[in-house]
């Protein structure tokens, strides 16, 4: 040690001023303390590589006690992973520059090979002759392991342990390359669970996570060892098949769907049916890029979902046209709100006894700069699917409230503004709060707003639906069941709902004079409404005969082309004003009013 300390310049204190210079004994003690306490393994050898001394860290890293290794060659530690040329080069550098550093694989006493960052320095005596070498090394295995783990996390999904999008994309790249070189065909199967959101929303994320791991296991067991399965996102999985045929891929897709159609049992004992749909694209036939293949499989998946779910579809280029227009529509819709392209039209709600207008239904239209006025049926389904309906619906609500407030302030005797609410909007957790907000901001009393909710939206019969309805009632608004008769409401269920009005669907009204069954249904709905103390309004009244029959059956409110089509704001104002003009009232019919409007160009159709 004496030699080592006195020749290794780095440990000799250099200070010439300041505190008193320590004596040789202090220096030796300090150096020994460093030698013994450092975390790095230190080994001192003579010039022929025979170990002279090691520190405690060396023993804990390699497993060799000082007594076992001192006197032995450093080769004892060699792992065999580096060849002779490596060591020759290493020693050459040490003897030339007195220093070498690099990563090296060593072998512990228990045989385990581990990576180390090794630094070798030569020690010279006063004459400049090399007397010893000092090797200090850090065990890199923990760092390497965590790097590997990080690498694993970067490429795998934490919940299911499946490869993620990144790894999938790399695998797809390789598979496409192999097909290019070797020929053959591969497939991308895009699997999406049908009712996952329902589980997540109703049973919570914990149950959702558990379900996803069960789904993963089931998918795995339905696949061959070599088939690649990845989690693409939420409840979307991708199977990548190499060397397949259309027939084999169809069979596999059907098998996957069937296996996910079986019930799942959660640890809580809950039995769940979710089902799945799939879309398939083939390579290299359908595309040569991973992104497009996935997009095509997604397009096919959308077709499978539209076809009623629990089925699969193959991509065909015809689908692209449909998907493209859907995508384009979606992109345009995104901007429509900020560009102020939506407008509300208003259709009068009329008292069937005297044709008096007591309110309006607000109906949205999209004034698209190129295509012109687009009716709601063409864009609302896409908005519903993408969730854009939530901000759009909020805009409608806000506008309708503001308009009603303005009309009432102007003295128009209107009591009801009906606003349509979509399913997604209704189920949004902030919905009731946003209604309260719209009323507060516009200063309109809640009783003048009637929210129209379709039978389908209300059908869930769960506690959340009832809670939302009660929260809405608490804001003072009125609730109407829209398109009544087209869903499957049970009477017992209807009785529990805090609704104020039923709107008889147009389909029954249209046939009321020609189809006895429709007439019977209409009478039954009117009777039902009366028993439940609900108001009832008939939609789609187009002629006087229908109005009379409805009125005679006890229906007091109506809406339809007989009175007026939906019209822009100015037209609605005029309609509401005219109908209160005693002269017009004398002239009588709404048809006259409609004529006036046509002359003024205020009719929407
Ligand atoms: P809805 O709520 O049942 O509205 C009545 C629809 O019937 C309106 O179509 C109206 O123009 C039409 N209509 C009224 N009277 C007659 C008639 O005598 N004959 C015929 N053939 N049709 C009549 P519109 O405006 O195209 O709206 C269609 C549907 O779009 C609405 O059905 C409603 O479900 C939805 N919708 C409209 N605006 C909104 C909105 O702001 N938000 C939401 N979520 N949905 C809306
Ligand atoms: Mg409606
Ligand atoms: Mg309706």
């Amino acid at each position: 040690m004496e030699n080592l300390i006195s020749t290794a310049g780095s440990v000799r204190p250099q200070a010439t001023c300041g505190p008193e210079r320590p004596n040789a004994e202090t220096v030796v003690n300090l150096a020994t303390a460093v030698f013994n306490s450092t975390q790095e393994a230190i080994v001192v050898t003579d010039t022929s590589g025979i170990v002279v001394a090691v520190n405690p860290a060396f023993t804990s890293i390699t497993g060799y006690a000082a007594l076992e290794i001192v006197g032995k060659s450093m080769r004892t530690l060699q792992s065999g992973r580096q060849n002779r040329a490596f060591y020759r080069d290493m020693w050459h550098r040490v003897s030339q520059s007195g220093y070498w550093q690099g990563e090296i694989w060593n072998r512990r006493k228990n045989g385990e090979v581990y990576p180390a960052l090794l630094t070798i320095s030569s020690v010279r005596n006063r004459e400049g002759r090399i007397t010893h070498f000092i090797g200090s090394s850090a065990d890199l295995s923990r760092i390497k392991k965590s790097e590997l783990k990080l690498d694993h996390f970067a490429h795998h999904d934490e919940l299911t342990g499946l490869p993620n999008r990144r790894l999938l994309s790399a695998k797809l790249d390789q598979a496409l390359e192999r097909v290019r070189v070797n020929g053959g065909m591969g497939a991308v199967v895009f699997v999406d669970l049908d009712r996952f959101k329902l589980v997540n929303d109703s049973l919570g994320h914990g149950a959702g996570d558990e379900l996803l791991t069960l789904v993963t296991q089931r998918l795995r067991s339905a696949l061959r060892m070599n088939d690649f399965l990845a989690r693409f996102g939420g409840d979307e999985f991708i199977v990548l098949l190499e060397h397949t045929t259309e027939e084999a891929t169809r069979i596999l897709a059907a098998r996957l769907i069937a296996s996910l159609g079986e019930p799942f049992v959660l640890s809580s004992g809950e039995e769940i049916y979710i089902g799945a749909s799939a879309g398939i694209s083939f390579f290299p036939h359908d595309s040569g890029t991973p992104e497009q293949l996935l997009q095509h499989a997604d397009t096919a998946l959308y077709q499978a979902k539209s076809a009623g779910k629990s089925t699969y579809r193959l991509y065909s280029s015809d689908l692209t046209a449909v998907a493209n227009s859907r995508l384009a529509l979606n992109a345009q819709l995104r901007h429509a709100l900020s560009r102020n392209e939506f407008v509300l039209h208003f259709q009068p709600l009329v008292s069937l006894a005297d044709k008096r207008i007591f309110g309006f239904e607000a109906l949205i239209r999209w004034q698209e700069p190129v295509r012109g006025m687009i009716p709601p049926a063409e864009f609302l389904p896409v908005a519903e699917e993408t969730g854009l309906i939530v901000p759009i619906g909020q805009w409608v609500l806000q506008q309708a409230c503001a308009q009603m407030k303005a009309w009432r302030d102007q003295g128009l005797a209107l009591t009801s503004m009906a606003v349509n609410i979509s399913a997604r909007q209704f189920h949004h957790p902030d919905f009731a709060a946003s209604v309260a907000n719209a009323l507060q901001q516009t200063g309109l009393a809640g009783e003048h707003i009637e929210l129209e909710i379709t039978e389908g939206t209300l059908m869930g019969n769960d506690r959340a639906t009832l809670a939302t309805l009660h929260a809405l009632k608490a804001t003072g608004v009125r609730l109407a069941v829209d398109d009544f008769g087209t869903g499957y409401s049970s009477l017992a269920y209807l009785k529990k709902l805090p609704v104020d009005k039923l709107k008889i669907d147009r389909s029954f009204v249209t046939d009321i004079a020609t189809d006895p069954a429709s007439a019977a249904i209409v009478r039954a709905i009117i009777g039902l409404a009366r028993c439940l103390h609900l108001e009832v309004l008939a939609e789609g009244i187009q002629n006087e005969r229908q109005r009379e029959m409805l009125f005679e059956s006890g229906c007091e409110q109506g809406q339809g082309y007989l009175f007026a089509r939906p019209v822009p704001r100015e037209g609605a104002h005029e309609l509401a004003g005219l109908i209160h003009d005693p002269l017009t009232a004398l002239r009588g019919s709404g048809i006259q009013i409609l004529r006036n409007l046509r002359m003024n160009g205020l009719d929407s159709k």
Side-chain angles (χ1 to χ4, degrees):
M1 285 300 271
E2 177 65 23
N3 193 9
L4 166 71
I5 302 303
S6 57
T7 51
S10 58
V11 286
R12 181 202 284 263
Q14 298 289 312
T16 52
C17 58
E20 206 181 301
R21 186 175 167 164
N23 62 28
E25 193 187 331
T26 315
V27 172
V28 169
N29 286 344
L30 275 174
T32 309
V34 172
F35 183 76
N36 285 335
S37 63
T38 180
Q39 296 291 307
E40 298 202 341
I42 298 178
V43 55
V44 184
T45 72
D46 64 15
T47 48
S48 51
I50 300 298
V51 176
V52 175
V54 293
N55 71 345
F58 177 92
T59 301
S60 67
I61 291 175
T62 65
Y64 288 107
L67 279 175
E68 292 173 305
I69 193 81
V70 168
K72 300 232 170 81
S73 166
M74 270 302 282
R75 287 207 191 92
T76 316
L77 296 180
Q78 284 184 7
S79 66
R81 288 213 183 167
Q82 285 90 204
N83 57 21
R84 280 175 180 216
F86 175 88
Y87 289 108
R88 212 179 306 125
D89 179 62
M90 181 175 95
W91 288 117
H92 178 70
R93 277 168 198 259
V94 178
S95 56
Q96 291 287 299
S97 62
Y99 178 82
W100 180 90
Q101 187 176 57
E103 278 188 30
I104 192 167
W105 290 92
N106 279 341
R107 186 181 298 279
R108 301 190 216 271
K109 187 181 165 191
N110 65 9
E112 187 191 341
V113 171
Y114 69 98
L117 178 65
L118 174 64
T119 307
I120 306 178
S121 320
S122 58
V123 180
R124 291 171 193 271
N125 62 14
R126 285 184 208 286
E127 287 78 47
R129 205 162 45 80
I130 294 178
T131 59
H132 294 87
F133 294 108
I134 305 175
S136 84
S137 63
D139 184 351
L140 295 182
S141 51
R142 292 240 327 252
I143 297 175
K144 290 268 180 212
K145 241 184 234 158
S146 69
E147 271 175 9
L148 275 178
K149 220 164 155 186
L150 275 181
D151 195 53
H152 182 86
F153 278 140
H155 292 104
H156 289 80
D157 164 50
E158 211 173 326
L159 176 68
T160 59
L162 288 177
N164 62 11
R165 267 175 198 233
R166 254 165 102 178
L167 189 49
L168 169 70
S169 156
K171 284 276 175 192
L172 253 176
D173 260 334
Q174 291 169 358
L176 281 165
E177 187 54 34
R178 274 194 287 273
V179 166
R180 255 191 293 274
V181 175
N182 306 328
M185 184 168 95
V188 168
V189 185
F190 203 132
V191 181
D192 184 289
L193 306 182
D194 286 338
R195 282 175 292 275
F196 179 69
K197 200 179 158 328
L198 213 69
V199 174
N200 227 14
D201 289 351
S202 55
L203 298 180
H205 292 295
D209 284 357
E210 189 185 353
L211 187 61
L212 286 173
T213 47
L214 294 175
V215 165
T216 304
Q217 287 164 14
R218 213 172 268 182
L219 284 172
R220 263 261 139 265
S221 56
L223 292 169
R224 295 170 304 188
M225 273 297 280
N226 287 341
D227 299 334
F228 180 83
L229 173 67
R231 182 166 175 214
F232 196 61
D235 59 346
E236 300 167 335
F237 297 83
I238 302 278
V239 179
L240 170 60
L241 303 172
E242 292 192 54
H243 317 295
T244 188
T245 61
E246 182 181 320
E247 187 57 21
T249 310
R250 280 176 182 275
I251 292 172
L252 178 88
R255 191 165 68 225
L256 293 178
I257 291 169
S259 81
L260 296 179
E262 295 294 314
F264 288 89
V265 182
L266 299 184
S267 53
S268 60
E270 201 105 26
E271 199 178 52
I272 290 171
Y273 290 81
I274 42 168
S277 308
I280 301 169
S281 63
F282 291 102
F283 56 93
H285 180 267
D286 291 336
S287 170
T289 71
E291 299 75 29
Q292 244 186 5
L293 271 174
L294 288 167
Q295 215 172 66
H296 289 344
D298 186 26
T299 305
L301 171 69
Y302 180 74
Q303 292 293 314
K305 293 259 180 197
S306 313
K309 304 187 175 171
S310 286
T311 183
Y312 67 87
R313 286 287 180 272
L314 306 189
Y315 170 77
S316 91
S317 46
D318 306 346
L319 293 182
T320 324
V322 179
N324 277 348
S325 67
R326 192 168 60 100
L327 281 176
L329 187 66
N330 186 20
Q332 291 165 345
L333 260 182
R334 247 175 239 292
H335 300 296
L337 253 187
S338 56
R339 292 181 188 153
N340 236 342
E341 291 174 3
F342 291 118
V343 285
L344 287 188
H345 281 191
F346 301 91
Q347 185 177 35
L349 308 176
V350 174
S351 150
L352 291 187
D354 54 7
K355 299 180 184 171
R356 189 179 52 87
I357 296 178
F358 63 87
F360 285 100
E361 174 171 3
L363 294 158
I364 194 170
R365 271 99 185 88
W366 180 12
Q367 183 76 62
E368 211 278 323
V370 182
R371 292 198 287 159
M373 198 70 96
I374 304 179
E378 278 183 41
F379 65 88
L380 285 185
V382 174
E384 177 82 11
E385 193 181 303
T386 58
L388 271 175
I389 189 71
V390 174
I392 293 176
Q394 184 57 26
W395 177 87
V396 171
L397 194 61
Q398 189 80 25
Q399 292 287 311
C401 289
Q403 187 60 72
M404 186 62 170
K405 172 81 170 110
W407 279 337
R408 285 182 55 81
D409 286 352
Q410 288 162 19
L412 297 185
L414 299 168
T415 52
S416 266
M417 173 66 86
V419 179
N420 292 283
I421 302 302
S422 85
R424 192 141 178 187
Q425 203 184 348
F426 179 82
H427 292 299
H428 193 280
D430 297 335
F431 179 55
S434 74
V435 171
N437 197 26
L439 291 172
Q440 201 208 345
Q441 276 185 8
T442 55
L444 181 71
E447 60 183 319
H448 298 307
I449 287 292
E450 194 164 84
L451 301 181
E452 294 193 359
I453 303 159
T454 62
E455 219 183 329
T457 306
L458 296 175
M459 245 176 41
N461 192 12
D462 53 28
R463 257 183 280 148
T465 301
L466 267 180
T468 306
L469 291 174
H470 284 292
L472 288 171
K473 284 300 299 175
T475 68
V477 299
R478 293 159 44 81
L479 302 174
V481 185
D482 204 355
D483 305 342
F484 190 79
T486 56
Y488 304 91
S489 304
S490 75
L491 300 187
Y493 178 47
L494 194 62
K495 204 179 77 181
K496 277 199 292 182
L497 301 179
V499 295
D500 304 283
K501 185 187 276 190
L502 302 181
K503 291 190 78 172
I504 306 174
D505 191 64
R506 190 171 79 218
S507 54
F508 306 115
V509 175
T510 307
D511 297 339
I512 191 171
T514 49
D515 174 18
S518 286
I521 291 173
V522 168
R523 276 197 301 275
I525 296 176
I526 295 168
L528 177 70
R530 188 170 297 148
C531 290
L532 295 175
H533 305 292
L534 301 176
E535 292 175 28
V536 61
L537 180 147
E539 297 184 314
I541 306 177
Q542 295 198 328
N543 56 50
E544 197 52 41
R545 175 97 187 94
Q546 290 165 346
R547 185 194 70 84
E548 268 170 28
M549 284 184 72
L550 284 157
F551 187 58
E552 280 159 15
S553 306
C555 176
E556 292 179 344
Q557 303 174 13
Q559 177 181 0
Y561 293 174
L562 170 66
F563 313 106
R565 289 174 180 251
V567 289
R569 185 183 54 194
E570 302 77 13
H573 183 263
E574 194 166 336
L575 268 177
L578 279 173
I579 203 96
H580 296 297
D581 168 354
L583 266 181
T584 318
L586 275 181
R587 260 189 252 128
S589 89
I591 296 170
Q592 178 63 42
I593 299 163
L594 206 60
R595 246 180 243 137
N596 288 344
L597 283 171
R598 289 235 170 91
M599 273 163 29
N600 296 336
L602 292 174
D603 185 354
S604 84
K605 304 228 171 141

